[in-house]
């Protein structure tokens, strides 16, 4: 596929040659992504901000890039716009107007809830851009540890729809009679849910978009004028024989460099083992931590399935009752 890159004054992003190797910072981010708790969130944000990680996800999930090579996607990516933790208000002000093209990962206003995006960036839409006109896609990527959030509990899908709507509205400043709505560009909100996914939903990828339905007659309107909001939900599960996005993401969440290498073709060529050998110790430590956590939960589940009450299991294993009940609730959710 030949892409027509639009006219822009921004510096062109060079496409790395096959002979180059993934950056050390990215490799370290891959290994540290398996840490749990608060470190988990920070680790995943850092991991997902790397171009080597972003590009394969876009290629496997976003329709606009289905026929693009990873090198072509990389050329479209506005690397300078990738953000994780910048704070900004969507109330218009001079300082914001003078900022560069960097996307804001937080949005707030006087009347709406603060929105904090995990990873947010712009990328050229190869379907609509021309040599003289640049049309962007606005991408929000969320690494969601639990598909069933608590305190409060809510459907992830509703939150995703709200996020993509706020992302769209943030493209315009204060609405006036002279507001140019033609400047609105398409937004994607991509959610990767790793845990607490009901069994019937595991290993599924679903796209939710704004579409047209003719009721009386046919309205021949350009799709790009109304198809501005798309949510993609990726729900991981147990190991699956199906390759592609699920196999790739499993590699990310477990720090499996060799598995990731099968899908990320940017800056890969030489055997990665030698380059990553200095970090395998940390990767093994994360892997072992996951194994131990699995054994721990396995003992609790085994005791509960034998007919013992949570109180009896707590006493038998010398573990907090709250932990026992949490494992019990998670198992009930998965089996629904």
């Amino acid at each position: 596929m030949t892409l027509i890159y639009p006219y822009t004054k921004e510096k062109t992003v060079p496409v790395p040659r096959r002979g180059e190797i993934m950056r050390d910072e990215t490799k370290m981010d891959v290994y540290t992504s398996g840490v749990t708790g608060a470190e988990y969130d920070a680790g995943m944000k850092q991991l997902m901000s790397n171009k080597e990680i972003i590009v394969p996800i876009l290629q496997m999930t976003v329709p606009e890039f289905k026929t693009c090579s990873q090198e072509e996607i990389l050329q479209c990516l506005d690397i300078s716009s990738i953000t994780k933790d910048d704070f900004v208000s969507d109330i218009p002000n001079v300082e914001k107007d003078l900022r560069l093209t960097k996307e804001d990962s937080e949005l707030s206003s006087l009347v709406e809830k603060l929105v904090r995006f995990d990873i947010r960036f712009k990328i050229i839409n190869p379907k609509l851009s021309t040599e003289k006109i640049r049309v962007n896609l606005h991408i929000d990527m969320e690494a969601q540890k639990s598909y069933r959030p608590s305190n409060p509990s809510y459907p992830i899908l509703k939150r995703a729809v709200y996020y993509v709507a706020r992302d769209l509205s943030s493209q315009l400043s204060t609405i006036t009679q002279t507001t140019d709505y033609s400047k609105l560009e398409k937004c994607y909100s991509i959610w990767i849910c790793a845990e607490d996914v009901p069994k019937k939903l595991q290993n599924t990828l679903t796209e939710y978009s704004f579409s047209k339905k003719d009721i009386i007659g046919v309205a021949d309107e350009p799709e790009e004028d109304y198809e501005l909001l798309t949510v993609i939900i990726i729900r991981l599960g147990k190991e699956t024989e199906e390759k592609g996005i699920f196999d790739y993401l499993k590699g990310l969440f477990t720090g499996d460099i060799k598995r990731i290498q099968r899908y990320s073709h940017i800056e890969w060529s030489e055997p990665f083992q030698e380059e990553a050998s200095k970090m395998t110790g940390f990767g093994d430590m994360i892997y072992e931590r996951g194994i131990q956590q699995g054994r721990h939960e396995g003992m609790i589940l085994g005791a509960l399935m034998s007919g013992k009450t949570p109180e009896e299991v707590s006493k038998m294993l010398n573990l907090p009752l709250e932990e026992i009940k949490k494992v019990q609730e998670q198992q009930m959710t998965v089996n629904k």
Side-chain angles (χ1 to χ4, degrees):
M1 175 180 178
T2 302
L3 294 181
I4 300 177
Y5 300 106
Y7 171 78
T8 174
K9 292 182 179 180
E10 296 178 8
K11 185 178 180 180
T12 302
V13 178
V15 179
R17 296 187 300 272
R18 289 278 182 174
E20 296 177 333
I21 301 300
M22 177 180 277
R23 295 172 297 140
D24 287 342
E25 306 96 286
T26 302
K27 292 183 285 186
M28 182 61 76
D29 289 341
V30 169
Y31 280 119
T32 58
S33 64
V35 181
T36 59
E39 296 179 24
Y40 173 92
D41 294 332
M44 286 311 302
K45 284 185 180 182
Q46 184 62 37
L47 173 69
M48 302 296 287
S49 67
N50 288 287
K51 65 180 186 295
E52 296 93 337
I53 303 304
I54 289 175
V55 168
I57 295 176
L58 295 178
Q59 186 183 45
M60 290 186 277
T61 62
V62 176
E64 282 83 353
F65 299 112
K66 186 176 182 180
T67 59
C68 296
S69 68
Q70 291 190 14
E71 288 79 8
E72 290 171 330
I73 297 173
L74 180 60
Q75 290 187 42
C76 290
L77 180 60
D78 183 354
I79 295 178
S80 66
S81 73
I82 300 174
T83 58
K84 299 185 294 295
D85 295 308
D86 288 349
F87 173 81
V88 68
S89 170
D90 63 1
I91 302 172
N93 58 66
V94 176
E95 181 180 357
K96 179 177 179 178
D97 293 340
L98 294 177
R99 292 183 61 182
L100 299 178
T101 59
K102 202 168 188 180
E103 291 285 86
D104 301 318
S105 63
E106 293 190 2
L107 295 177
S108 65
S109 73
L110 294 176
V111 294
E112 293 188 273
K113 178 181 175 62
L114 171 72
V115 171
R116 179 179 289 109
F117 298 98
D118 277 5
I119 301 298
R120 191 166 173 243
F121 57 89
K122 291 188 297 186
I123 186 168
I124 294 172
N125 185 337
K127 302 294 185 182
L128 300 180
S129 298
T130 66
E131 293 180 350
K132 295 184 178 180
I133 300 175
R134 170 177 179 150
V135 180
N136 289 310
L137 292 173
H138 297 251
I139 310 289
D140 156 44
M141 281 190 182
E142 302 290 328
Q144 182 71 22
K145 192 170 188 291
S146 174
Y147 187 69
R148 294 289 183 88
S150 57
N151 299 321
S153 60
Y154 57 86
I156 284 294
L157 181 56
K158 285 190 174 183
R159 182 180 174 188
V161 171
Y162 180 76
Y163 270 43
V164 75
R166 288 293 300 277
D167 201 1
L168 181 67
S169 68
S170 71
Q171 295 177 33
L172 301 179
S173 57
T174 303
I175 304 299
T176 68
Q177 291 183 344
T178 60
T179 296
D180 187 357
Y181 292 97
S182 67
K183 292 183 178 180
L184 288 173
E185 298 174 320
K186 186 175 182 179
C187 298
Y188 275 94
S189 189
I190 303 173
W191 291 67
I192 303 169
C193 304
E195 298 179 6
D196 304 327
V197 178
K199 190 173 183 180
K200 63 182 179 180
L201 295 179
Q202 291 182 10
N203 296 316
T204 60
L205 186 155
T206 311
E207 177 184 308
Y208 304 87
S209 58
F210 195 98
S211 61
K212 178 175 74 75
K213 181 180 180 181
D214 289 312
I215 306 301
I216 300 176
V218 177
D220 188 15
E221 299 283 359
E223 185 177 278
E224 59 265 25
D225 287 350
Y226 61 83
E227 221 278 286
L228 295 173
L229 304 172
T230 297
V231 169
I232 294 175
I233 305 290
I234 305 171
R235 309 172 188 87
L236 302 183
K238 296 181 180 179
E239 287 287 349
T240 174
E241 295 182 359
E242 183 177 349
K243 302 303 180 182
I245 188 66
F246 301 110
D247 191 44
Y248 173 68
L249 291 175
K250 184 69 70 173
L252 292 185
F253 284 111
T254 58
D256 188 341
I257 295 293
K258 290 184 178 179
R259 184 181 294 194
I260 299 170
Q261 187 178 11
R262 294 199 292 265
Y263 298 94
S264 180
H265 308 307
I266 299 174
E267 301 181 4
W268 294 78
S269 63
E270 299 178 11
F272 193 82
Q273 187 65 34
E274 295 180 6
E275 290 291 321
S277 60
K278 60 184 178 182
M279 292 176 287
T280 55
F282 188 46
D284 291 341
M285 179 190 71
I286 293 174
Y287 176 76
E288 283 299 323
R289 181 182 302 180
I291 293 296
Q292 293 300 327
Q293 183 179 1
R295 289 173 180 169
H296 196 195
E297 294 182 359
M299 289 191 297
I300 295 174
L301 287 174
L304 291 171
M305 293 176 65
S306 69
K308 291 183 171 57
T309 65
E311 289 76 14
E312 291 172 333
V313 175
S314 175
K315 185 176 180 180
M316 180 180 70
L317 298 179
N318 193 28
L319 293 172
L321 179 60
E322 292 182 358
E323 183 175 350
I324 307 300
K325 290 184 176 180
K326 181 179 179 180
V327 173
Q328 185 183 44
E329 291 174 359
Q330 289 176 344
Q331 185 62 23
M332 292 173 63
T333 298
V334 170
N335 291 332
K336 286 183 179 179

